Amino acid sequence: MSRRAHGPLFWRVYLHGVLLLLVVAVAVAGVGFALRRGSGWWSQRGAGRYAAERVGELAGDPPRLAAELERAREAFGVEASVYGPGGGLVATSVRDPAAAARADGRRRGWTVPLRGGGTLVVHSPPHDPARGLLFIGAVLAALAVASYPLTRAIVAPVERLTAAARALGAGDLAARANVRAHGELGELGRSFDEMAARLEALVRGERELLANVSHELRTPLARIRVALELAAEGDAARARRYLGEIGQDLAELDALIEDVLDAARLEARGAAALRNEGHPVDLAAVAEEAAERFRGAHEGRALELDAGSGLPLLRGDAVLLRRLLDNLLDNAAKYSEPPAPVRLSVRAEPDAAVVEVTDRGIGIPAEDLPRLFTPFFRTDRSRERGTGGTGLGLVLARRIAEAHGGSISVESAPGQGSTFRVRLPAPRE
């Protein structure tokens, strides 16, 4: 995503932070000014003690008194003046003695009477508003500069998420926020990217499904068209040779359409609705029915059935569960040769029932296992309709298992056969 100028959100957050800093600076300045005026470096008690002990001793010696006041000004930064009984200026540490003389004791400050008469006036330090404002401005500028990275760190992930969401809504399925922040914003960014990845995979899967269905339809439709053209030309003998293949094609097309429709119904219905609306299912009875259908459809193939006792009643759709077992058994028969038997076992586990279909066939290469449940994927890379099937059997089996809250896994090795394992959780009472 390209870098762009800061948006309104950035400036709202940034200016809000600057406003808060301004309020804090004004408050600190007000408190500091009040404390400065209220306490100063010298309390009134300290001024009285100083007047009683030191200033009173030197009241009769103006030069020494002036020197003492000067030392106090240099040491503590405070200016003071001593006025005689008549109000005249005796000594001062004010930088402008003429102004102190004209003030006649009326300058702002603390007034402390002396023992022998006269008055000590401790003047307030001069207040420079310009320096205070300059200090506040400098603090504000420093804080504003320092808060820029913080504001950017908060707003940048939000801006990236907004841009990615806008791109995703416009049809760019590859759009990602790529937020690397920590905390809640980072978690939000990662969740968005995961959602976008799932959405992209879903759309890509739907497109691949459409392309593969189109491919599967092309061959039988071409054969039917050829047979019709030959029949129209009067070549009945050649057209008759296509009838057997056309019948097989139509049967596989019917199976393909049924698989696609079942998968679409599962997606539309949803797993939660299936579990809520389902009925109690005796899995042992479903396995026995599946075994009977397998023996009828694959004459001469040996099937070992092991339906254990104590199986929990499942909640779901018996028809779909029979379809799941049929697909797994047909897949085992397809990738194993007689007289190798196929084994179907059903056993109980704590809070679940486990179904296993095992064959002793060609097995599955390790590199093919991650793609085994991809629509129209065949491990033998064959597109021949006699051995490849529709390529949706295992996909539909997985969707049925997941719709019942379960899972499906496979263990296989080339030349040693495969075992498909389905775990279906039992409903809680």
Side-chain angles (χ1 to χ4, degrees):
M1 185 172 59
S2 61
R3 189 175 184 86
R4 59 187 182 86
H6 302 315
L9 177 62
F10 173 85
W11 292 114
R12 285 200 299 269
V13 174
Y14 183 70
L15 293 178
H16 182 71
V18 171
L19 179 61
L20 290 178
L21 293 176
L22 179 61
V23 172
V24 171
V26 171
V28 170
V31 172
F33 181 75
L35 292 175
R36 186 177 181 183
R37 290 196 59 186
S39 60
W41 72 277
W42 222 1
S43 64
Q44 293 187 10
R45 181 180 300 176
R49 189 183 305 115
Y50 178 75
E53 295 177 359
R54 187 62 179 164
V55 176
E57 296 176 1
L58 302 177
D61 191 349
R64 292 183 59 192
L65 179 60
E68 177 65 22
L69 295 178
E70 184 65 22
R71 281 194 296 272
R73 185 182 67 81
E74 292 177 354
F76 304 107
V78 67
E79 297 178 343
S81 301
V82 176
Y83 298 91
L89 180 65
V90 178
T92 183
S93 61
V94 178
R95 296 184 183 276
D96 187 2
R102 290 194 302 271
D104 193 21
R106 293 188 294 274
R107 280 195 62 179
R108 181 177 58 176
W110 299 326
T111 301
V112 182
L114 301 177
R115 292 180 180 178
T119 305
L120 168 67
V121 177
V122 180
H123 305 295
S124 298
H127 179 64
D128 188 359
R131 291 185 59 189
L133 291 176
L134 181 62
F135 174 75
I136 294 175
V139 171
L140 260 181
L143 292 176
V145 172
S147 64
Y148 182 92
L150 176 62
T151 305
R152 183 63 189 164
I154 295 174
V155 174
V158 179
E159 292 178 340
R160 295 181 70 88
L161 279 168
T162 302
R166 187 179 295 112
L168 188 65
D172 183 7
L173 298 178
R176 300 292 186 271
N178 293 322
V179 175
R180 298 292 182 263
H182 300 284
E184 290 79 0
L185 285 175
E187 182 65 25
L188 177 61
R190 287 186 289 273
S191 299
F192 176 87
D193 289 346
E194 291 172 0
M195 178 199 69
R198 289 194 297 270
L199 181 60
E200 183 181 16
L202 178 62
V203 174
R204 185 185 298 113
E206 295 297 330
R207 291 173 179 172
E208 291 178 356
L209 176 64
L210 180 60
N212 286 318
V213 168
S214 301
H215 177 85
E216 295 292 334
L217 293 175
R218 186 175 294 113
T219 299
L221 290 178
R223 289 178 179 174
I224 293 173
R225 183 181 301 108
V226 170
L228 291 175
E229 291 175 353
L230 291 174
E233 293 173 359
D235 192 348
R238 292 183 60 191
R240 194 176 298 111
R241 288 199 298 268
Y242 282 90
L243 291 181
E245 295 180 359
I246 291 174
Q248 181 182 351
D249 290 338
L250 291 177
E252 292 191 358
L253 283 178
D254 184 67
L256 173 63
I257 294 172
E258 185 177 1
D259 286 344
V260 172
L261 291 178
D262 285 342
R265 278 195 292 267
L266 281 174
E267 291 289 338
R269 191 175 181 184
L274 177 62
R275 291 194 292 272
N276 293 334
E277 300 172 3
H279 302 284
V281 178
D282 184 355
L283 191 58
V286 172
E288 291 175 359
E289 294 176 5
E292 290 297 326
R293 283 194 300 273
F294 178 85
R295 294 188 181 104
H298 302 83
E299 295 183 3
R301 292 302 303 268
L303 174 65
E304 300 173 358
L305 174 62
D306 180 12
S309 60
L311 291 172
L313 285 178
L314 303 180
R315 188 172 185 84
D317 191 317
V319 175
L320 289 177
L321 290 175
R322 284 195 296 268
R323 186 68 178 279
L324 183 153
L325 296 183
D326 289 343
N327 289 355
L328 293 181
L329 291 172
D330 289 342
N331 185 77
K334 187 184 305 176
Y335 291 100
S336 63
E337 297 293 337
V342 176
R343 187 171 187 272
L344 170 61
S345 68
V346 184
R347 68 176 186 273
E349 286 189 355
D351 301 326
V354 177
V355 178
E356 289 185 353
V357 175
T358 303
D359 66 70
R360 296 179 178 87
I362 62 175
I364 303 171
E367 63 271 16
D368 287 344
L369 290 176
R371 301 182 57 195
L372 194 60
F373 297 96
T374 302
F376 298 100
F377 176 75
R378 295 174 175 85
T379 58
D380 62 357
R381 306 299 192 271
S382 172
R383 303 302 296 187
E384 294 181 4
R385 309 191 60 83
T387 59
T390 65
L392 290 175
L394 292 181
V395 177
L396 189 59
R398 185 185 64 177
R399 292 192 179 184
I400 294 174
E402 293 176 349
H404 286 80
S407 60
I408 185 170
S409 60
V410 59
E411 297 176 1
S412 183
Q416 299 181 14
S418 306
T419 297
F420 287 84
R421 184 175 296 107
V422 180
R423 188 178 187 278
L424 301 171
R428 295 181 178 181
E429 297 295 338

